[in-house]
Amino acid sequence: MIQLSDHFDYKRLLRFTFPSIIMLVFTSIYGVVDGFFVSNFAGKTPFAAVNFIMPVLIILGCAGFMLGTGGSALISMTLGEGDREQANRIFSLLIWAGAVCGIVLAAAGIVLLPAAAALLGAEGRLLSDSVLYGRIILAALPFYILQMEFQCLFATAEKPTLGLVVTVAAGVANMALDALFVGVFRWGLVGAAAATAVSQAVGGVVPLVYFGRENDSLLRLGRCRFDSRALLRACTNGASELMSNISMSVVSMLYNAQLMAKAGEDGVAAYGVLMYVSMIFQAIFIGYAVGTAPVVGYHHGAGHQDELQNLLRRNAVLIGGFSVLMCLAGETLGRPLAVLFVGYDQGLLDMTAHAFAIFSVSFLFSGFAIFGSSFFTALNDGLTSALISFLRTLVFQCAAVLLFPIFWGLDGIWWSIVSAEIMAVAVTLLFLAARRKRYGYF
């Protein structure tokens, strides 16, 4: 079994992070599968409704990723310092806090969702479909927040493979139920949302049971005292991931508004397909970052600067390789993937395939910024991590998507994503250089 305290070469890094990568890929597939069945069995407007309301749902659910990533950094550093009892107290606190947070946010979201959708510009059937889909998903929000927490913490507990098994089971449940509810029973949006809600319950409850019983991992869920300092520190560490998810959702709303103005519902649908594929591709980078974060945090806590240097160097090489492969895959598979979702509409298909050819270039750069932000989170430097995420996911993209269409029309919207990722890599390199003496990673 690979342990956090090990020396990591390329092979060991890939073996340890592979389960986390697959976990995040399967999680991202939930929305993709919903989109596939809704688009092909319910039609273009319900498909646009799913894409339209999804950013709001992501904003409400990203608390789990914040607690998971921030908690992973704090727990792994505490383990590196040799205090396993305190690590378990922090772990338990974060899980219970996530459950309470999920209940509160779900209740608020269900009440406020119609007003939020209308404020974003939805009306008529688009509004009613958005609210219908969103409320069913929000009913399972507490489970989703727990699922996102556990996906980050399985690797910290030295159980990434078990996390993979749980996530695959949840993903398979989602796909099977989508096929049954939407493809066979023809329940449309209701069926797609119900399938996702059930799968999220699987992903949240099974780890809760596992960690709540005697187990052979590093972590055990139990009673805990409220520790405001630990909770605040975990939230601060994970602020970059919270900011990243909220910013991406806000930016998605802005993209939808620009696309509605430039291309109507077809533009929103095309962007939805891009985001589905992007979620899967970005999940590879995010999963890799989640998998390496506890390793970085452990060696930082133990004061192993040589191993931090080794990890940073090898991670840069691996991410570079992933980036090239994903860009090539996007360029090659863009049109076939577009056919899966919108092959029934030739005009929409052509628009989506053209957007893919531009959008895929962004994969050459996005992985480095994602890892850079996660790297600083693992070092418990939440401020630097948050700055990278804030600039990458909000400032650069908002500026680009507002300016580029003025000069290049619809293509300017697609190119704005690429330009934002390039600027984010430049900022990441600047922060790595500025903090090198403080942490000693090169």
Side-chain angles (χ1 to χ4, degrees):
M1 182 180 71
I2 299 176
Q3 298 180 326
L4 298 179
S5 57
D6 290 346
H7 169 73
F8 282 76
D9 55 16
Y10 289 114
K11 182 178 179 180
R12 187 161 292 177
L13 271 173
L14 289 172
R15 285 178 56 201
F16 190 76
T17 58
F18 180 75
S20 296
I21 293 171
I22 301 302
M23 276 195 295
L24 268 295
V25 168
F26 260 86
T27 302
S28 67
I29 285 174
Y30 293 169
V32 175
V33 173
D34 278 3
F36 171 78
F37 280 99
V38 169
S39 181
N40 284 278
F41 290 93
K44 186 163 58 177
T45 298
F47 179 56
V50 172
N51 299 322
F52 189 85
I53 203 62
M54 189 59 68
V56 178
L57 305 178
I58 291 174
I59 287 175
L60 293 174
C62 64
F65 205 54
M66 174 189 70
L67 291 170
T69 54
S72 174
L74 183 56
I75 292 167
S76 60
M77 187 178 72
T78 305
L79 290 170
E81 293 169 346
D83 194 346
R84 185 170 177 178
E85 185 177 344
Q86 174 65 5
N88 276 294
R89 285 196 293 267
I90 296 171
F91 171 71
S92 299
L93 171 67
L94 296 176
I95 296 303
W96 299 130
V100 172
C101 181
I103 293 170
V104 172
L105 289 175
I110 288 172
V111 172
L112 298 174
L113 195 62
L119 184 64
L120 293 172
E123 56 185 19
R125 187 183 175 191
L126 182 64
L127 174 60
S128 59
D129 282 353
S130 297
V131 173
L132 175 63
Y133 179 83
R135 280 181 163 169
I136 297 172
I137 295 295
L138 286 173
L141 184 66
F143 301 119
Y144 179 67
I145 287 179
L146 287 174
Q147 181 183 16
M148 295 304 292
E149 278 193 89
F150 283 123
Q151 283 181 342
C152 300
L153 293 169
F154 268 119
T156 311
E158 294 183 345
K159 289 291 181 179
T161 302
L162 179 59
L164 171 60
V165 171
V166 173
T167 304
V168 169
V172 170
N174 184 54
M175 289 184 279
L177 291 175
D178 261 326
L180 180 65
F181 293 165
V182 184
V184 178
F185 295 163
R186 301 300 175 98
W187 290 350
L189 281 175
V190 173
T196 297
V198 171
S199 67
Q200 289 171 351
V202 172
V205 172
V206 173
L208 199 65
V209 173
Y210 172 79
F211 284 109
R213 304 173 63 183
E214 290 286 345
N215 62 76
D216 60 352
S217 77
L218 292 179
L219 301 175
R220 170 77 190 275
L221 181 63
R223 295 181 179 179
C224 65
R225 294 175 299 176
F226 181 74
D227 185 342
S228 59
R229 183 180 178 185
L231 184 59
L232 179 61
R233 192 170 181 183
C235 291
T236 303
N237 288 342
S240 60
E241 282 68 28
L242 176 69
M243 177 60 67
S244 179
N245 281 276
I246 291 177
S247 298
M248 284 190 294
S249 298
V250 171
V251 169
S252 292
M253 297 174 195
L254 182 57
Y255 272 84
N256 283 334
Q258 289 283 72
L259 286 163
M260 281 291 287
K262 296 287 183 182
E265 284 189 9
D266 279 6
V268 175
Y271 180 64
V273 177
L274 294 187
M275 288 302 98
Y276 284 144
V277 177
S278 176
M279 281 194 298
I280 296 175
F281 280 41
Q282 302 281 20
I284 296 173
F285 290 129
I286 296 171
Y288 183 82
V290 166
T292 58
V295 181
V296 172
Y298 182 93
H299 287 288
H300 171 57
H304 299 159
Q305 290 189 344
D306 288 347
E307 189 60 25
L308 287 180
Q309 294 171 12
N310 168 66
L311 288 167
L312 184 61
R313 183 176 64 254
R314 294 182 188 276
N315 285 328
V317 172
L318 289 174
I319 290 171
F322 291 154
S323 299
V324 172
L325 290 175
M326 281 192 276
C327 178
L328 293 174
E331 295 291 347
T332 304
L333 301 175
R335 191 170 189 88
L337 289 171
V339 170
L340 286 176
F341 289 93
V342 294
Y344 54 81
D345 187 315
Q346 187 61 47
L348 180 55
L349 171 62
D350 291 340
M351 178 190 296
T352 305
H354 174 70
F356 251 116
I358 299 172
F359 179 77
S360 297
V361 178
S362 68
F363 296 133
L364 288 173
F365 308 99
S366 57
F368 293 100
I370 290 171
F371 174 78
S373 177
S374 176
F375 184 72
F376 283 109
T377 296
L379 294 173
N380 284 262
D381 187 346
L383 177 60
T384 302
S385 179
L387 284 171
I388 293 173
S389 290
F390 176 73
L391 291 169
R392 171 181 172 258
T393 57
L394 187 63
V395 176
F396 295 151
Q397 289 211 36
C398 284
V401 78
L402 288 172
L403 291 175
F404 282 26
I406 296 174
F407 303 102
W408 298 294
L410 184 59
D411 277 358
I413 296 178
W414 312 130
W415 277 112
S416 63
I417 302 170
V418 179
S419 68
E421 296 292 3
I422 294 173
M423 290 185 283
V425 171
V427 168
T428 301
L429 293 174
L430 288 174
F431 275 119
L432 284 170
R435 298 288 194 269
R436 67 188 187 281
K437 290 183 180 179
R438 179 177 178 181
Y439 298 111
Y441 43 69
F442 67 76

